[in-house]
Amino acid sequence: MGATKTDLFTKKQNEIAAMAKAIAHPARIAILQQLLKTNACVCGSLVEDLGLAQATISQHLKELKNVGLIHGTVEGTSVCYCINTKTWKQYQQLFADLFIDITDSQNCC
Amino acid sequence: MGATKTDLFTKKQNEIAAMAKAIAHPARIAILQQLLKTNACVCGSLVEDLGLAQATISQHLKELKNVGLIHGTVEGTSVCYCINTKTWKQYQQLFADLFIDITDSQNCC
DNA sequence: TCGCTTGATTGCAATATTACGATTGATATT
DNA sequence: AATATCAATCGTAATATTGCAATCAAGCGA
């Protein structure tokens, strides 16, 4: 017990859940918004901006990297992060597909 | 430690994260898709469909109810669940806003 | 009323997540 | 080479989530 029973669900369902989990934390939302806003790679300045410890930020960045939403390139001692446009568009599409248009008539109770 | 430091983030960021968390589990995705597909309220038959224990399904339904994505009405001994159209549209809008269009030129590294 | 069915709740065990201090590895700078 | 800086990783503690058996509560039919 305790672990999600992924074998009961379709590959797609597990995939959607994993993608949602990646953005299911305010720090990761904040990181993504910061990357969108500054357009460029803010790298380590995210630590000052967010107010979390360096180790914690690094952990969140790793998760975002794992699902491919961002990628980082080493620049000297610092690392530059930015949105992965391709994956970003996939997320856009996936959530649009999930929250498909629904008519009020479908509502039954 | 261990708990999310919500006070560090904006209300909106916490809200988005909470919404994402609500759909960050394959069972809840499966429930929503089933409700969309059958159009009507499948109620307790979700238990047979998904293969999880009744208590577990009930718990997931409760979470979906908590964020307002579904609502249930008692019909005799059974309970009829369906999508909450209003909240559904809010989710649709919120994720569309988050995954805003991005141009490849914004990509810097 | 008495059972039967349905679904919510409780209590518990297993696992996952969040957060951070401390350390490590890599690259600049002096 | 010695030192400083940045970010990843390790180890650990606290908290959250997942899942289920068992129980509870409400409505229905005989």
Side-chain angles (χ1 to χ4, degrees):
Chain A
M1 301 165 226
T4 298
K5 289 192 160 182
T6 52
D7 53 304
L8 289 177
F9 311 103
T10 68
K11 195 176 172 185
K12 191 77 180 175
Q13 287 166 341
N14 283 311
E15 192 186 328
I16 297 176
M19 290 170 100
K21 193 179 281 184
I23 58 168
H25 194 289
R28 294 196 287 274
I29 297 289
I31 289 172
L32 291 175
Q33 290 182 336
Q34 191 71 18
L35 290 182
L36 277 174
K37 186 173 136 200
T38 59
N39 192 6
C41 332
V42 251
C43 328
S45 56
L46 284 165
V47 176
E48 328 174 8
D49 291 348
L50 300 198
L52 285 168
Q54 183 265 320
T56 310
I57 297 289
S58 191
Q59 215 169 357
H60 284 304
L61 286 170
K62 189 181 177 184
E63 282 188 64
L64 290 172
K65 228 183 338 180
N66 282 342
V67 296
L69 263 176
I70 64 173
H71 65 94
T73 46
V74 179
E75 289 190 353
T77 58
S78 55
V79 175
C80 174
Y81 284 101
C82 58
I83 305 279
N84 183 339
T85 313
K86 193 177 167 190
T87 316
W88 187 263
K89 285 176 179 167
Q90 286 174 356
Y91 269 63
Q92 190 180 47
Q93 189 59 51
L94 186 129
F95 284 105
D97 288 348
L98 178 64
F99 291 107
I100 197 168
D101 277 325
I102 193 171
T103 57
D104 292 310
S105 62
Q106 284 188 281
N107 217 297
C108 69
C109 50
Chain B
M1 298 167 227
T4 297
K5 290 193 159 181
T6 53
D7 53 305
L8 288 178
F9 311 103
T10 69
K11 194 176 171 183
K12 191 76 181 176
Q13 285 166 343
N14 283 309
E15 192 186 328
I16 297 176
M19 291 170 100
K21 193 179 280 184
I23 58 169
H25 194 287
R28 296 196 285 275
I29 297 288
I31 289 172
L32 291 175
Q33 289 183 336
Q34 191 71 17
L35 289 182
L36 276 175
K37 186 173 135 198
T38 59
N39 193 4
C41 332
V42 251
C43 329
S45 56
L46 284 165
V47 176
E48 326 174 9
D49 291 346
L50 300 198
L52 285 169
Q54 183 265 322
T56 309
I57 298 289
S58 192
Q59 213 170 358
H60 284 305
L61 285 169
K62 189 181 177 185
E63 281 188 67
L64 289 173
K65 229 185 334 184
N66 282 343
V67 297
L69 263 177
I70 63 172
H71 65 93
T73 47
V74 180
E75 287 188 355
T77 58
S78 56
V79 176
C80 175
Y81 285 101
C82 59
I83 304 278
N84 182 339
T85 312
K86 194 177 165 190
T87 318
W88 187 262
K89 285 176 179 169
Q90 286 174 356
Y91 269 63
Q92 190 179 46
Q93 188 61 51
L94 185 129
F95 284 106
D97 288 348
L98 178 64
F99 291 108
I100 197 167
D101 276 325
I102 193 172
T103 57
D104 292 308
S105 62
Q106 283 188 281
N107 216 299
C108 68
C109 50

